[in-house]
Amino acid sequence: MSAYCIWFTGLSGAGKTTLSRLLSEELATRGLPVERLDGDIMRACLCKDLGFSREDRETNLRRLGLVAHLLTRNGVTCLVAAISPLAAIRELNRKLNGKFIEVYCNSSLDALIKRDVKGLYRKALAGEIPAFTGVSEPYEAPATPEIEVHTDAQSVEQSLAQILDYLENNGVAPKPDQHPRLAKPSEEEFFARLVELGFASNPKR
Ligand code: ADP
């Protein structure tokens, strides 16, 4: 089974972290070598030096795409969860990775403002966060994503099932009964170790 880069894109709060985490855990238990690159976490370590200018966002996404490629070419399925507002950079990463699946976490801005899980929309609408995607910066929605989940209308379980369905039907993920279920150390432990050794600070945004 060849390794894919599965790229979650969508506005802040649209469900990229939630779904990529659950998917990563599920794929790992099905015996697939899998790593997850979360935009918020990567901004606290690998991309610590970058801000939110157009140029820095582009560099951030190029770095994530490159790391994903280093993993996938060695057989590790890589899940990237990052707003990734720029269509051209997503396309560049598609070209670099070749085996690429775009998962568009689509939610209306109204629903996100209502949900506001991280309290960021309140701050952004009050002008306290400059260049906030969807509020004061554009988000270029994917035109033809392989998977589009409507996270303002579906439950987490429904969205996850839709993604798994696509992956199983397209030979990206084994069906659950084809592999013994395996356990993997938690991401929290791994990230805490990075912080302890000074490779990362705690993610802010
Ligand atoms: P993002 O990583 O895109 O910023 P998060 O995953 O951190 O978003 O937050 C999404 C929030 O929306 C979570 O609180 C999650 O429980 C909730 N949610 C509700 N429905 C869905 C769904 N169908 N898919 C993903 N998240 C959902």
Side-chain angles (χ1 to χ4, degrees), residues 11-19 115 117-118 151 154-156 159:
L11 294 173
S12 176
K16 304 176 297 296
T17 299
T18 305
L19 293 171
R115 194 186 283 163
V117 267
K118 300 173 215 170
T151 58
Q154 296 174 319
S155 67
V156 171
S159 298

Side-chain angles (χ1 to χ4, degrees), residues 6 23 25 29 52 77 84 92 104 145 168 198-199:
I6 304 175
L23 180 63
E25 286 164 15
T29 63
F52 292 88
T77 295
S84 10
L92 192 66
Y104 176 25
E168 287 169 7
F199 282 87

Side-chain angles (χ1 to χ4, degrees), residues 2-8 35 37 60-80 88-102 146:
S2 47
Y4 275 74
C5 171
I6 304 175
W7 195 287
F8 289 75
E35 189 57 80
L37 306 179
N60 180 45
L61 296 175
R62 281 176 188 266
R63 282 187 201 168
L64 297 185
L66 177 60
V67 175
H69 185 48
L70 297 178
L71 290 164
T72 56
R73 77 189 191 117
N74 285 290
V76 180
T77 295
C78 187
L79 314 188
V80 180
I89 309 302
R90 294 196 305 266
E91 283 316 300
L92 192 66
N93 282 326
R94 179 187 287 278
K95 277 201 192 116
L96 175 67
N97 277 276
K99 293 185 181 306
F100 190 89
I101 291 168
E102 197 170 33
E146 279 74 10

Side-chain angles (χ1 to χ4, degrees), residues 22-204:
L22 292 170
L23 180 63
S24 161
E25 286 164 15
E26 182 57 32
L27 295 181
T29 63
R30 294 186 191 187
L32 213 63
V34 58
E35 189 57 80
R36 201 178 73 88
L37 306 179
D38 189 287
D40 289 344
I41 295 175
M42 289 298 128
R43 275 189 174 276
C45 49
L46 185 69
C47 304
K48 224 175 175 178
D49 54 320
L50 301 175
F52 292 88
S53 67
R54 190 178 169 97
E55 196 188 356
D56 278 4
R57 280 178 196 269
E58 192 173 320
T59 305
N60 180 45
L61 296 175
R62 281 176 188 266
R63 282 187 201 168
L64 297 185
L66 177 60
V67 175
H69 185 48
L70 297 178
L71 290 164
T72 56
R73 77 189 191 117
N74 285 290
V76 180
T77 295
C78 187
L79 314 188
V80 180
I83 296 173
S84 10
L86 309 173
I89 309 302
R90 294 196 305 266
E91 283 316 300
L92 192 66
N93 282 326
R94 179 187 287 278
K95 277 201 192 116
L96 175 67
N97 277 276
K99 293 185 181 306
F100 190 89
I101 291 168
E102 197 170 33
V103 182
Y104 176 25
C105 296
N106 187 353
S107 170
S108 73
L109 189 59
D110 280 355
L112 295 174
I113 290 171
K114 265 194 209 122
R115 194 186 283 163
D116 207 3
V117 267
K118 300 173 215 170
L120 295 175
Y121 284 96
R122 190 190 54 71
K123 286 191 188 159
L125 289 166
E128 290 166 27
I129 306 176
F132 193 78
T133 307
V135 175
S136 45
E137 278 286 307
Y139 173 74
E140 299 170 0
T144 52
E146 279 74 10
I147 307 173
E148 178 170 354
V149 282
H150 290 272
T151 58
D152 52 2
Q154 296 174 319
S155 67
V156 171
E157 294 70 27
Q158 286 171 328
S159 298
L160 183 65
Q162 185 189 331
I163 296 168
L164 275 166
D165 217 43
Y166 178 94
L167 299 181
E168 287 169 7
N169 291 332
N170 288 277
V172 181
K175 294 206 191 302
D177 51 2
Q178 288 173 349
H179 282 270
R181 299 186 78 78
L182 304 168
K184 191 181 170 185
S186 84
E187 278 188 24
E188 281 79 11
E189 284 165 0
F190 175 66
F191 191 71
R193 180 100 176 108
L194 292 185
V195 173
E196 188 187 309
L197 296 175
F199 282 87
S201 51
N202 283 313
K204 291 186 204 78

